Each structure stands twice: as C-alpha cells, then as structure tokens.
Amino acid sequence: QVQLVESGGGLVQAGGSLRLSCAASISIFDFNAMGWFRQAPGKQREFIAGIMRGGDTNYADSVKDRFKISRDNAKNSVYLQMNSLKPEDTAVYFCTADIYGGIRVSGGDYWGRGTQVTVSP
C-alpha cells in the first residue's frame, strides 16, 4: 500500500545540476531510513545516499561533496540535490525506504519505479 514516486530526472549537460524528489504516500517519519540508489546500463544497482529518521546522512564515495540528500517531513518528501554532474552519473535513480532498518546494503522495504538521469558530455 505504501507508494514512493520519484520525479525531477532529465537530460543535463556535464557540470550541470538536477534536483530529484521522492514523494511518499505516508508520513516519512514512519520510515527508519530513506535514500537513493541508481542503476546504470549493464551495471548493478548501487547505493548513492541515505538519511535516517534522526537526520544522519551517508553518501557513496563517488558522489560525496557533489550530491546532498535532504527531507521535508511536512511534505512527506526526500530530495537529492545533484551538482557538478558527470556522464558517469547517467542512470535510473530509485527512491527506497525501510520501516525498521537501514537501506545501504540492499535497499529498503519499499521502492519507487525510478527516474532517468542522463548527463551528456
């Protein structure tokens, strides 16, 4: 019954920025952890960024200092601000959430359908 819906993907030139949104159908305070994974063509899905109920955040080394995860409890939404985008950031980006545990290892209990991000040279 829980739904996560991503938005904000698109085509951008290298060096540009995009802001992804993930809107949940329930209060995001019900989740212990939320975050973002991505999957590039021919590659496995990888962890990108996570945020815990208490506010702690974590990032993959590949996006550290370029991406920032945040949340707005009033809007039941989590965001991923992506700056200084590179062609290797091209992937489908998925929102995920877990009720009791974390999401870094393999994602959470719930997943969105993904939003495409394409970065041209």
Side-chain angles (χ1 to χ4, degrees):
Q1 191 64 37
V2 175
Q3 294 180 325
L4 304 174
V5 181
E6 304 96 334
S7 62
L11 174 64
V12 66
Q13 194 87 343
S17 299
L18 285 173
R19 183 174 182 258
L20 305 184
S21 298
C22 173
S25 62
I26 63 172
S27 172
I28 62 171
F29 194 75
D30 289 345
F31 298 121
N32 190 54
M34 298 187 72
W36 297 88
F37 280 65
R38 70 185 182 190
Q39 187 166 21
K43 297 183 179 180
Q44 292 185 317
R45 186 157 35 182
E46 63 175 336
F47 169 81
I48 297 300
I51 185 166
M52 305 298 291
R53 181 184 285 119
D56 289 343
T57 59
N58 196 17
Y59 299 91
D61 288 342
S62 60
V63 305
K64 185 179 180 181
D65 300 323
R66 296 191 298 123
F67 292 9
K68 184 178 180 180
I69 188 170
S70 62
R71 71 182 186 215
D72 188 332
N73 291 338
K75 296 180 180 179
N76 293 331
S77 295
V78 170
Y79 308 98
L80 185 67
Q81 179 65 46
M82 305 185 295
N83 299 321
S84 301
L85 283 162
K86 305 174 180 179
E88 49 263 49
D89 294 318
T90 295
V92 177
Y93 285 71
F94 298 90
C95 180
T96 187
D98 198 89
I99 296 292
Y100 299 110
I103 54 93
R104 184 175 181 179
V105 175
S106 59
D109 300 316
Y110 305 102
W111 291 87
R113 296 184 68 181
T115 185
Q116 176 71 46
V117 172
T118 302
V119 184
S120 62

